[in-house]
Amino acid sequence: MSWENNVRKVVPYTPGEQPKVKDIVKLNTNENPYPPSPRVAEALKSLDVNRMRLYPDPKIEDLVHAIATVYGRKDEEVFVGIGSDDVLAMLFMTFFNSNKPILFPDITYSFYDVWAEMLRIPYVTQPLDENFHIRVQDYKKENGGIVFPNPNAPTGSVLAQEAIEEIVKANPDSIVIVDEAYVDFGAESALPLIDKYDNVIVTQTFSKSRSMAGLRVGYAFAAPKTIKYLNDVKYSFNSYTMNYPGIVLGTAEVYDTENFRKNCAKIMDTRAKAAVRFREMGFTLEDSFSNFLFVTHEKVPAKKIFDYLRENHIFVRWFNKPRIDRYLRVTIGTDEEMEKLFAALTKLLETEA
Ligand code: PMP
């Protein structure tokens, strides 16, 4: 016997690399290339060091209220956590407690199976179709809960709102989580569904469209009853999740909808141009509704491209996983960053293709 027999053994989630070297083109973790609202810089100056003696507001009321106001919801319909990873982990813990398996796509955000394993939640993955789209009928079988991103990651494709509602409606005995980490880049939000169904939860984040991955703010919308259950678990786990600077800076950001809409528009414009360039170079890709493109080259293996780009200080994401190991996920950067990427790809393809 050893104490090690009693360790909760997990295979941890592998986040994308955060390289220390300067002068790289970083297109590997779906961060936003543009800064957050100038109001955040102002709010930073207003922070009171002496305020740090005190615990922060456990209810995160200012930020909850700001999000509720901006999205036209009630405060009781909003939950805030430390990035949507924290929100999602809390949701798994709160709502996925049946003996039946939870369902999520086989190709999706690679944290879902990690949380399920970690929390000992049974799960069965549902294969995407050959074009990497969710099949609604797969989510009409017995289950202990459902989670999928919309747009999906790492594919960038969307499920129509009618299809989402069909899934929610078909599962009144389960919680359905729609992970909208990338929704602001051209997809439609399932948020209105919370008025009709208390079993649907919509999560979003400041990490992508709002340029604040480093601050760690994520949130969920659901019916007040559903949010209440979630808060009960949160307060039983860790009541002071978000620190005082996080609350102040997040609140400053959320009210500036103009800045973030402008940044999203720029990213969508760069994405459209990048998609054309990729196709001209012999890549295949589906339309993306997120801040990344999921591309595969007809001749050159993805790993080879990944390695070559990395040597040239351009970081993209390659997943060594079944079905998707021929693909690269490329975050949309600034136009200048994309130019550097395409220049490097042109060089490589001259020798390879
Ligand atoms: N959901 C999806 C689909 C994601 O890709 C990510 C980003 N890794 C997250 C949630 C979590 O993002 P964050 O914790 O930064 O809000």
Side-chain angles (χ1 to χ4, degrees), residues 13 30 82-86 88 109 112 149 151 153 179 181-182 204-208 213 216-218 329:
Y13 170 72
N30 298 341
I82 311 305
S84 48
D85 281 344
D86 176 50
L88 288 161
Y109 186 31
Y112 299 156
D179 173 352
Y182 301 101
Q204 296 189 1
T205 176
F206 278 30
S207 300
K208 321 290 178 183
R216 311 305 299 131
V217 180
R329 191 195 69 189

Side-chain angles (χ1 to χ4, degrees), residues 277-285 296-299 349:
R277 291 286 288 278
F278 272 121
R279 288 189 178 113
E280 282 168 2
M281 294 175 121
F283 285 89
T284 308
L285 54 149
T296 180
H297 195 269
E298 59 200 14
K299 297 205 185 93
L349 295 178

Side-chain angles (χ1 to χ4, degrees), residues 22 37 55 57 60 67 74 79 149 178 205 250 262 290 339:
K22 292 257 179 308
S37 164
Y55 282 106
D57 171 16
I60 320 180
I67 293 170
K74 300 198 225 41
F79 174 89
V178 187
T205 176
K262 187 185 74 202
S290 56
E339 277 313 315

